[in-house]
Amino acid sequence: MWILLVEDEKQLAGNLKRGLEEEGHVVEVIRDGEQAELQGMVSDYDVVILDWRLPNRDGKQILQHWRKEGRDFPVLMLTALGDLDHKVSGLDAGADDYMSKPFSFEELLARVRALGRRKSEINDTETVSTGPIELDSRKHKLNICGIERTLRPKEFTLLELLLKEPDAVFSKTQIAERVWGSAYHVSDNTIEATISTLRQKLGESLEECDEVSWDDSNSIIETIRGAGYRLNSRC
């Protein structure tokens, strides 16, 4: 994989670069936040490893800018800040996974592999659709009844997962692994809240469609008791 490593600690960056290259990856290292932000706008990496605290611009600001501009490569955020608020803040900014320093290289390597697999699975098809809902993963755009709509990063990835297999049931564990990159770093409440907000946004958009009659937003993404969730392709 082609990996961008954004880390200002010289020794740590060097160690990670050597370790990742020994695994066969191509690694580009940047230690300045502003430079990293610009580089992420012109290159499409398989995985980005992004430190939170950087010179000139912090990792959260960089990530928010990338996601706003439609840059959807998987991002693993690194930080010495291990409290829950910072973790949630990083994930809400668009991070796909999160690791607190210090960490083991073996764990980082496993997470990088998981993120790389998820990107490969999602990018197999750039545009997916059902009924009036059409999603372009490469351009990070969603259209419903021909009108462009806006979703938060995790909502977008979740909808993409569901659209690729309409009527398939996904468990919370599967959703956590495919959307957040790990089943161990996201709570059931977070998944349920993301499902709820996505349902609401889809329902509101479909209500504006003249050619679509949709009475119950809860049935757009159905809850299958004891099994998980699925997108109702009849929308």
Side-chain angles (χ1 to χ4, degrees), residues 125-137 141-146 159-167 231-235:
T125 303
E126 291 181 352
T127 302
V128 288
S129 63
T130 185
I133 303 173
E134 182 177 278
L135 183 148
D136 188 323
S137 60
K141 289 185 177 181
L142 169 67
N143 285 284
I144 300 179
C145 298
L159 178 59
E160 185 174 23
L161 172 65
L162 297 173
L163 276 173
K164 290 191 75 170
E165 297 186 61
D167 294 320
L231 183 74
N232 188 338
S233 63
R234 295 188 301 277
C235 69

Side-chain angles (χ1 to χ4, degrees), residues 19-127:
L20 290 166
E21 288 178 339
E22 287 174 0
E23 295 293 323
H25 303 298
V26 177
V27 183
E28 182 178 349
V29 177
I30 296 179
R31 292 197 287 269
D32 175 82
E34 187 173 356
Q35 182 184 352
E37 184 176 286
L38 293 173
Q39 188 62 27
M41 293 300 299
V42 298
S43 298
D44 188 20
Y45 297 95
D46 294 305
V47 174
V48 175
I49 303 172
L50 178 65
D51 191 27
W52 184 296
R53 288 182 170 173
L54 295 163
N56 297 321
R57 193 153 302 172
D58 69 44
K60 181 182 175 182
Q61 292 174 319
I62 295 170
L63 184 52
Q64 287 174 324
H65 179 73
W66 283 343
R67 296 311 194 214
K68 180 180 179 182
E69 296 300 320
R71 309 303 288 162
D72 61 352
F73 36 64
V75 174
L76 170 61
M77 181 164 278
L78 304 179
T79 181
L81 305 170
D83 64 81
L84 181 60
D85 288 343
H86 280 99
K87 177 179 176 181
V88 171
S89 180
L91 293 171
D92 282 345
D96 297 274
D97 202 354
Y98 189 105
M99 291 188 70
S100 299
K101 300 176 183 178
F103 52 81
S104 72
F105 176 73
E106 289 76 13
E107 182 181 0
L108 178 136
L109 188 61
R111 296 192 185 204
V112 166
R113 286 196 297 261
L115 291 176
R117 287 195 300 269
R118 188 176 68 79
K119 184 189 179 188
S120 177
E121 291 169 354
I122 288 177
N123 286 346
D124 284 344
T125 303
E126 291 181 352
T127 302

Side-chain angles (χ1 to χ4, degrees), residues 196-207:
S196 178
T197 56
L198 179 57
R199 276 177 177 151
Q200 181 178 353
K201 290 179 180 180
L202 292 177
E204 291 172 352
S205 297
L206 288 170
E207 285 177 1

